[in-house]
Amino acid sequence: PINEEEMAAAMRVYIVLEHAKVNPFTTKSDFARMAANEIGVCASEGLISTRVNDGQYSNVWMITREGLDQMEELASVLSSRH
């Protein structure tokens, strides 16, 4: 079981992952500034990345395979609370 604060944090991370999946955003976008803490967590955990391929990076945050897996897990946790 998770408390309300943890639930809110999970929701914020889910929103970042969903945004990166549906509408990848630039590193300097308004969304990136608004969700900087959550983006930092997601990037540190390898859930989103600016990496296009080996040695090539862009200025756009995109979801990774790990991020898609985490989205599924978060969706399950978040839906079980309703």
Side-chain angles (χ1 to χ4, degrees):
I2 63 175
N3 64 37
E4 292 304 314
E5 186 176 323
E6 292 168 328
M7 180 64 81
M11 180 60 80
R12 289 190 303 270
V13 167
Y14 184 88
I15 289 168
V16 167
L17 294 175
E18 183 177 48
H19 203 316
K21 177 183 175 187
V22 175
N23 188 20
F25 50 94
T26 65
T27 56
K28 295 184 179 182
S29 66
D30 289 339
F31 181 78
R33 282 190 279 279
M34 178 195 73
N37 292 334
E38 291 80 8
I39 290 167
V41 169
C42 289
S44 295
E45 296 296 322
L47 306 178
I48 61 174
S49 179
T50 59
R51 183 176 175 200
V52 178
N53 32 31
D54 288 342
Q56 185 179 6
Y57 295 85
S58 73
N59 69 334
V60 176
W61 287 112
M62 299 165 281
I63 196 162
T64 64
R65 164 56 40 207
E66 293 81 6
L68 291 170
D69 293 343
Q70 185 65 40
M71 263 187 84
E72 285 182 30
E73 288 181 36
L74 286 171
S76 175
V77 168
L78 294 169
S79 67
S80 71
R81 294 284 295 201
H82 290 51

